[in-house]
Amino acid sequence: MKISAIVMAALLSSLFVVPACFAQAAEEEQQARLAEIKQRIESLQQELNQVKSERDQLLKDLESNEKDISELLQRIDKIKSDMQSRGEKLQELKQEEKQLEDSRRSMQRRVEQEVAAAYRLGRQEQIKLLLNQQDPQHIARQLRYHDYFLKQRSRVIGDYVSTLEQLSTVSTGIQREQDTLARERSQLEEKRRDLVSAQKSRQRTLDKLARQLASKSGELDQLHSDRSRLQRLVDEVGRAIASLINPSDQTPFAKQRGRMQWPTSGRRANAYGQRRANGITWTGVTLRANEGAPVKAIHRGRVVFADYLRGQGMLIILDHGDGYMSLYGHNQSLNRAIGEWVERGDTIAKVGNTGGISQPGLYFEIRRHGKPQDPTVWCRG
């Protein structure tokens, strides 16, 4: 932080506001005071720069903590989803195993009956029939029946062998799924331990940051810095997407005025334009919601920003065309990446408390050509 030329000029001019008659006598004293003031200013600058440096480092640490937490939560959700799918597959395999086992028992009884029948008839059934010297037509019928029984016996035995093979394959699949589930449970516990550690680290950083911002001036400076950073991002994004072409069949954002749903269910913690205790006015609305609740796109659009922004935490911005954008901040995690198209109602993030806020909630803005709009005019309810 540097002292402006105006402030320096004021300080210097104040040193020379003395009667002319004392100018010569006080010159030496004034020079000494000037040297003292310069020294004090340099000392103050060093102190302010040190505080600023500490604050910046804390904010950087906070960003790192919250990014780690967001990634861990996403990984945990992925493992849970995989485990659910694997559990369902395991249940299907067990059901299939039960059906195959029932079939195996039934077929085993059939095979035992066929083997017993074959043993009773002996191994030379056809030759015995021919040597019985019975009526040729009767012999022909008996031979046909005999051939039929042989084929039926072979089919029963073949089905039994096939069932045994299927049962072996399913049993192997069940063991494989059980082993994978055990590994995933272990990974899940490990990630949960990492998450607890990251959350503790975040809280320590927040405590340090709170001490740095204990004064109103410190908090105000931080809010101004956050707002400036967000505005610069919006302006830069606006310039970057100016040349993009939106689909011609897309319903214009302006035609949905007053018809859109809020991005998440929750109590509005502030009103648009409301003056805060520090004098800054709100340019959006904070919706108090449960951590992990879905954040949904209010209108079809393209993701133009999906990353961490100091002061906003995990932030996602959608471009809706015609200069309209919607902003969703303080998310726990982001479900979409830059360049992706989303439809109205698609889940794009989860409610969180990133960006240093104490309670979970979604910070929501609508802008046109970079200028904030009142969300209550656009969203109903």
Side-chain angles (χ1 to χ4, degrees):
M1 179 177 178
K2 295 184 178 180
I3 303 299
S4 68
I6 296 176
V7 173
M8 180 64 78
L11 287 170
L12 293 175
S13 63
S14 66
L15 297 176
F16 300 102
V17 182
V18 292
C21 60
F22 296 106
Q24 188 174 359
E27 183 177 358
E28 206 170 318
E29 182 182 355
Q30 289 169 350
Q31 291 297 328
R33 286 184 62 192
L34 178 59
E36 182 183 350
I37 289 174
K38 285 182 178 180
Q39 188 176 0
R40 289 180 61 186
I41 289 174
E42 288 173 0
S43 177
L44 179 61
Q45 282 180 312
Q46 288 177 359
E47 182 181 346
L48 290 172
N49 287 337
Q50 183 180 0
V51 172
K52 184 177 185 296
S53 177
E54 274 183 40
R55 188 181 299 166
D56 282 349
Q57 185 59 49
L58 286 172
L59 289 169
K60 188 176 180 180
D61 291 344
L62 179 63
E63 176 180 346
S64 178
N65 294 154
E66 293 185 336
K67 276 188 171 182
D68 288 344
I69 290 171
S70 178
E71 289 172 5
L72 284 168
L73 287 169
Q74 284 182 307
R75 178 59 182 152
I76 286 172
D77 285 346
K78 177 68 167 57
I79 293 174
K80 284 181 177 178
S81 176
D82 289 345
M83 288 179 66
Q84 183 178 354
S85 298
R86 207 169 295 282
E88 292 171 355
K89 185 177 180 181
L90 185 59
Q91 290 303 315
E92 290 174 2
L93 286 171
K94 286 183 175 180
Q95 183 65 29
E96 185 178 355
E97 182 185 43
K98 182 179 181 302
Q99 292 172 354
L100 286 170
E101 182 60 28
D102 292 342
S103 296
R104 185 196 67 77
R105 291 196 189 97
S106 175
M107 288 181 179
Q108 185 173 354
R109 288 192 293 270
R110 292 282 304 279
V111 169
E112 289 171 352
Q113 292 169 359
E114 292 293 338
V115 170
Y119 179 77
R120 286 194 299 271
L121 289 173
R123 296 183 178 180
Q124 305 295 328
E125 300 94 337
Q126 290 176 315
I127 295 175
K128 289 179 180 179
L129 287 171
L130 291 171
L131 295 176
N132 278 340
Q133 297 181 354
Q134 295 180 356
D135 178 60
Q137 290 185 351
H138 176 72
I139 293 174
R141 285 197 300 273
Q142 291 292 95
L143 287 173
R144 283 198 297 273
Y145 292 150
H146 185 270
D147 186 54
Y148 168 78
F149 287 130
L150 282 176
K151 289 180 180 177
Q152 177 67 17
R153 187 183 307 157
S154 297
R155 187 160 49 248
V156 169
I157 294 173
D159 290 345
Y160 181 66
V161 171
S162 176
T163 300
L164 289 176
E165 291 173 349
Q166 291 179 54
L167 192 56
S168 175
T169 301
V170 170
S171 298
T172 302
I174 287 174
Q175 186 60 53
R176 184 171 56 250
E177 294 298 326
Q178 288 175 332
D179 292 343
T180 304
L181 267 174
R183 286 195 301 271
E184 288 179 338
R185 286 193 188 97
S186 177
Q187 291 175 3
L188 183 60
E189 290 306 313
E190 180 185 353
K191 294 302 177 187
R192 281 175 171 162
R193 288 193 295 270
D194 292 344
L195 177 61
V196 170
S197 176
Q199 288 172 332
K200 288 180 179 177
S201 178
R202 174 185 182 268
Q203 189 57 54
R204 287 194 296 270
T205 303
L206 282 174
D207 292 341
K208 291 178 183 178
L209 190 58
R211 289 193 291 271
Q212 287 284 345
L213 301 177
S215 67
K216 286 188 176 180
S217 60
E219 183 183 8
L220 187 60
D221 288 345
Q222 188 62 53
L223 289 171
H224 277 302
S225 178
D226 292 344
R227 175 165 293 188
S228 175
R229 191 176 294 107
L230 179 60
Q231 185 62 54
R232 182 178 176 185
L233 172 67
V234 170
D235 291 342
E236 289 182 357
V237 167
R239 285 192 294 270
I241 64 176
S243 59
L244 296 178
I245 300 174
N246 289 310
S248 58
D249 60 344
Q250 180 171 317
T251 303
F253 189 88
K255 288 191 175 181
Q256 297 301 306
R257 184 183 178 95
R259 300 178 182 177
M260 291 181 280
Q261 298 290 334
W262 289 93
T264 193
S265 299
R267 177 181 61 85
R268 274 174 265 173
N270 67 276
Y272 172 82
Q274 179 182 347
R275 186 173 294 276
R276 302 166 71 166
N278 45 39
I280 293 181
T281 57
W282 287 98
T283 55
V285 172
T286 299
L287 300 169
R288 293 291 176 217
N290 294 328
E291 190 169 359
V295 176
K296 299 183 178 180
I298 61 170
H299 188 69
R300 187 171 195 265
R302 177 166 31 201
V303 179
V304 291
F305 184 85
D307 205 340
Y308 193 96
L309 181 70
R310 192 174 296 178
Q312 295 297 325
M314 300 302 291
L315 173 69
I316 188 165
I317 301 178
L318 302 182
D319 168 42
H320 303 290
D322 298 325
Y324 288 100
M325 287 190 291
S326 55
L327 294 74
Y328 314 76
H330 300 310
N331 297 290
Q332 178 189 87
S333 58
L334 307 177
N335 293 22
R336 299 304 182 105
I338 292 177
E340 288 187 39
W341 282 95
V342 296
E343 301 297 330
R344 182 184 64 186
D346 284 353
T347 297
I348 56 176
K350 290 184 177 181
V351 172
N353 61 352
T354 56
I357 62 174
S358 57
Q359 299 180 56
L362 174 71
Y363 180 68
F364 173 60
E365 283 191 6
I366 294 176
R367 297 200 177 206
R368 188 185 185 198
H369 300 308
K371 295 182 179 180
Q373 307 281 305
D374 185 355
T376 60
V377 173
W378 297 89
C379 299
R380 63 188 180 188

